[in-house]
Amino acid sequence: MLALIPFAFVKMPWGAVWANAKGDAFRGIVTHFLCWMTIRSLLGYGMVDGRDGMIAGSWLLGGLLLACFVIAVWHAAQDLRSLDRLGLWTGYTAAFAATVSMVIFYGILPNHLFGERLTNWFVHGGLNSVTTGLTFGFALMWLWCIRERITKRRERLLLHISLVILLAAVCFTRCRGALLALLAAHAALTWIRGYRRAALPWAALLGAIVLFQVTGPHVDKLVRWQVASRVAGHNLEPSHSATPIQEMLTRWDGGRTEIYARAMRGFIEPHEWLIGVGQWGPAEHFTRSLSYMHMHHHSIFIATLVHGGIIGLGLALCVLFIGLRRAHALAREGEDTWFVLLVFGCTGLIFDGQTLTNLLSIPQMEPLLVTFPLIVAASAWWLRKSSEGLRTQ
């Protein structure tokens, strides 16, 4: 995937891209945001030898790839029906990945138990459950958004099967961020479509949550039977609770409170609140030095404040605000996919994510959850506005 981005960049019809984007305030603010975050980091610590130089080079490469990705998505947004097909196959692929992951982790591998927090087996042999829940949830909402436009019988059947699988998969990740993002996205869907058209997605979500809770005691008995039947060499502790929803709501916050407090204490000089400490270097590392596992700030908003200060966070919020306004305007015209997905992404990354300025981040989900729907909405809105302006001339 990453190798295709430079190729797409080279093959891009630049004349059409710049003609469509000329004079767009959104594009200008995005450019200022990316430049500010990069220049602040370079002026703060620059490029040095050794490991820090490699980290800085990785950030610069990730920023360049993100810029290529943004331009490619801007151009792709000229055909929203093709993106519906992309969403359909994304949902199918996510459902396939979820099915294989559940079969492997819950039925084949001897050192795993049924009902443990689900991860994506296709990514590093088991992607983090939070990232898994958020990406599966994103694919789930994309399918709900395009469901009414899918008319072929076989495709609708596969779509409904995928919806059921992804609902189960998100529940088994037991990711609170994914559940919160799903609730916000369903609320956005209801706001745009009304209660009647949003009734089925709500019924499916609430039904899945209730079923997951009701079957908790039975799953707990199955897990304990699995533990008792395993050979002595596998000392496994059951991780599935008889009341999984209560466990999700009362579970420890993963140290996020301490992480955010440490990030705020990392501003040593008063001016750092305004301009941040940069995206790499000793000052940035100091803001996340609780332990060797503290690799990022687990919130795109906290991370942006730390890296770019109030200026960087303000620019990011302006970009998101304009993107949400444009997505909402599209939704009122019948294109509600991008508003719902953007609400999902912004909500899901309140308590997770590393950065909005790097395609090579540690979680590697921010470009999918936020950048992709943000740029599609902004570009599609601008294209429609430009077309209307030409018609009125």
Side-chain angles (χ1 to χ4, degrees):
M1 178 66 75
L2 292 177
L4 293 176
I5 293 177
F7 177 78
F9 186 80
V10 172
K11 295 296 183 180
M12 188 71 60
W14 289 107
V17 171
W18 293 121
N20 289 334
K22 186 178 180 181
D24 184 14
F26 175 84
R27 185 175 61 91
I29 297 176
V30 169
T31 302
H32 282 88
F33 171 62
L34 295 177
C35 289
W36 166 257
M37 299 296 285
T38 303
I39 294 172
R40 170 66 189 95
S41 302
L42 287 171
L43 294 179
Y45 194 59
M47 300 284 289
V48 296
D49 295 332
R51 181 175 179 272
D52 290 325
M54 294 180 61
I55 294 174
S58 175
W59 272 94
L60 293 174
L61 175 61
L64 177 61
L65 290 174
L66 180 69
C68 296
F69 176 74
V70 166
I71 294 171
V73 171
W74 182 280
H75 181 67
Q78 296 181 22
D79 186 359
L80 295 181
R81 297 290 73 81
S82 294
L83 293 181
D84 282 349
R85 304 301 302 177
L86 176 63
L88 185 65
W89 282 100
T90 299
Y92 291 165
T93 305
F96 175 76
T99 302
V100 173
S101 298
M102 286 189 279
V103 169
I104 290 178
F105 287 126
Y106 294 163
I108 297 178
L109 295 181
N111 56 335
H112 293 271
L113 295 171
F114 186 83
E116 68 181 29
R117 297 188 67 183
L118 183 66
T119 58
N120 189 348
W121 178 78
F122 286 93
V123 183
H124 308 307
L127 183 65
N128 178 276
S129 58
V130 174
T131 308
T132 299
L134 286 169
T135 51
F136 284 172
F138 184 89
L140 171 69
M141 289 311 305
W142 203 345
L143 288 180
W144 276 126
C145 290
I146 65 176
R147 173 180 170 273
E148 294 182 352
R149 291 192 288 271
I150 303 302
T151 57
K152 294 183 180 178
R153 185 176 179 180
R154 180 177 297 179
E155 290 182 345
R156 285 182 67 86
L157 176 61
L158 290 175
L159 183 146
H160 290 143
I161 294 173
S162 299
L163 286 172
V164 173
I165 293 172
L166 290 173
L167 274 169
V170 172
C171 288
F172 275 111
T173 63
R174 303 210 298 277
C175 172
R176 290 172 296 194
L179 181 59
L180 178 63
L182 281 177
L183 292 173
H186 278 72
L189 193 66
T190 306
W191 184 23
I192 297 301
R193 294 188 176 182
Y195 293 103
R196 288 188 177 182
R197 291 176 63 199
L200 183 59
W202 273 113
L205 176 62
L206 297 178
I209 293 174
V210 170
L211 184 62
F212 188 60
Q213 173 70 11
V214 170
T215 57
H218 303 287
V219 174
D220 184 58
K221 291 180 181 179
L222 175 61
V223 171
R224 295 187 184 281
W225 173 82
Q226 270 187 308
V227 173
S229 63
R230 291 288 168 86
V231 296
H234 299 286
N235 296 320
L236 299 175
E237 291 291 336
S239 62
H240 190 90
S241 170
T243 55
I245 300 301
Q246 286 92 322
E247 183 271 335
M248 288 175 60
L249 296 176
T250 59
R251 191 172 65 232
W252 180 55
D253 67 355
R256 281 172 172 75
T257 303
E258 297 179 15
I259 289 173
Y260 302 155
R262 177 58 177 162
M264 297 302 100
R265 292 195 298 268
F267 292 119
I268 304 301
E269 301 294 336
H271 70 270
E272 291 178 345
W273 283 94
L274 180 64
I275 65 174
V277 299
Q279 298 173 115
W280 63 80
E284 192 277 334
H285 185 270
F286 180 70
T287 65
R288 53 178 181 83
S289 57
L290 286 174
S291 70
Y292 74 96
M293 291 296 291
H294 186 186
M295 294 179 286
H296 61 91
H297 292 98
H298 292 276
S299 170
I300 57 169
F301 301 102
I302 296 294
T304 304
L305 176 62
V306 170
H307 296 159
I310 295 175
I311 294 176
L313 180 60
L315 289 171
L317 292 177
C318 285
V319 170
L320 293 175
F321 177 73
I322 296 174
L324 282 167
R325 284 192 60 184
R326 294 188 176 187
H328 182 256
L330 287 176
R332 295 180 64 181
E333 298 177 7
E335 297 289 350
D336 54 21
T337 301
W338 313 109
F339 180 69
V340 173
L341 293 183
L342 187 54
V343 168
F344 179 95
C346 291
T347 306
L349 295 183
I350 291 175
F351 302 110
D352 221 294
Q354 180 188 11
T355 178
L356 291 172
T357 62
N358 192 342
L359 197 70
L360 304 178
S361 66
I362 295 173
Q364 294 184 356
M365 61 181 174
E366 303 92 340
L368 172 67
L369 300 188
V370 173
T371 308
F372 177 64
L374 175 70
I375 300 302
V376 170
S379 176
W381 180 90
W382 181 255
L383 180 63
R384 293 193 177 194
K385 179 185 176 184
S386 301
S387 301
E388 291 174 359
L390 289 175
R391 287 196 297 268
T392 57
Q393 289 180 357

